[in-house]
Amino acid sequence: MIETLLQKWRGLARRERRMVAGGLTVIVLALIYLLLIEPATVGRGKISAELPGLRAQVSRMELLAGEVRRLASAPLAADSSSQLRERIEQSAVSAGLGALAQVGLAGERIEVKAKGVPFATLVDWLDSVLRETRVRVVDANVSRDLQPGLVTAKVVLEAPRQEKR
């Protein structure tokens, strides 16, 4: 096969050899561009577009990891259920849920009932209670009221379990 190509090559005139060599050069350059250069530049553009988002994710993860370390090193509250209920009740009052929220004990669990409270206020308060007291939500039932933005909620919280070390 190579011999037949060499024979055909030798049979071409000098001008034809130049044209074939030029055509082959163009084809090789086009293949190099299409297979090596163009995918690299497109990939680089995609990576450059994704990089700021990835950096933001890394910084968010670092913040969360710091919070996890802080929470893990904090001692568990040894409050009794009634003391925990009082802390949650005071937190509700300071968050502006005061008369709208009723905090009670149901065995070892704390039950919070709120009627006609702004949803955003409820969520912000619940987030701060979870962070400050390290309680966990066992059950939550939230339904919307007739007025926009207001909800009726029943949230059951459980104190953190004491780990034996």
Side-chain angles (χ1 to χ4, degrees):
M1 180 168 151
I2 293 177
E3 290 180 20
T4 57
L5 287 176
L6 284 175
Q7 285 177 354
K8 286 183 181 182
W9 177 259
R10 289 183 193 128
L12 295 176
R14 184 174 177 170
R15 184 174 180 190
E16 290 172 336
R17 285 183 192 172
R18 283 186 188 163
M19 290 177 68
V20 170
L24 287 174
T25 303
V26 168
I27 290 172
V28 167
L29 290 175
L31 286 174
I32 289 173
Y33 176 78
L34 290 174
L35 296 176
L36 300 176
I37 297 171
E38 195 258 345
T41 56
V42 169
R44 185 174 183 187
K46 286 180 183 177
I47 290 172
S48 295
E50 291 175 2
L51 190 58
L54 294 173
R55 285 186 175 149
Q57 285 179 0
V58 166
S59 66
R60 176 79 174 137
M61 287 174 58
E62 288 172 348
L63 284 172
L64 291 173
E67 186 174 344
V68 166
R69 284 190 292 276
R70 181 184 60 81
L71 288 174
S73 66
L76 288 175
D79 294 343
S80 68
S81 295
S82 60
Q83 290 172 328
L84 195 54
R85 183 193 67 77
E86 289 174 12
R87 285 179 60 195
I88 291 172
E89 196 168 26
Q90 289 171 356
S91 171
V93 169
S94 67
L97 298 177
L100 301 173
Q102 301 163 350
V103 181
L105 280 174
E108 290 294 314
R109 295 180 175 177
I110 297 133
E111 192 172 283
V112 180
K113 293 179 183 178
K115 185 171 181 153
V117 297
F119 180 71
T121 304
L122 177 72
V123 171
D124 290 341
W125 167 77
L126 189 58
D127 180 50
S128 70
V129 165
L130 295 177
R131 288 174 189 254
E132 292 170 7
T133 62
R134 297 181 71 177
V135 295
R136 67 182 189 103
V137 177
V138 177
D139 186 28
N141 184 0
V142 180
S143 58
R144 65 184 176 120
D145 285 352
L146 295 176
Q147 287 185 317
L150 298 183
V151 296
T152 298
K154 177 185 172 191
V155 180
V156 179
L157 304 170
E158 184 177 70
R161 295 192 176 111
Q162 297 294 328
E163 295 177 10
K164 296 181 181 177
R165 296 180 184 189

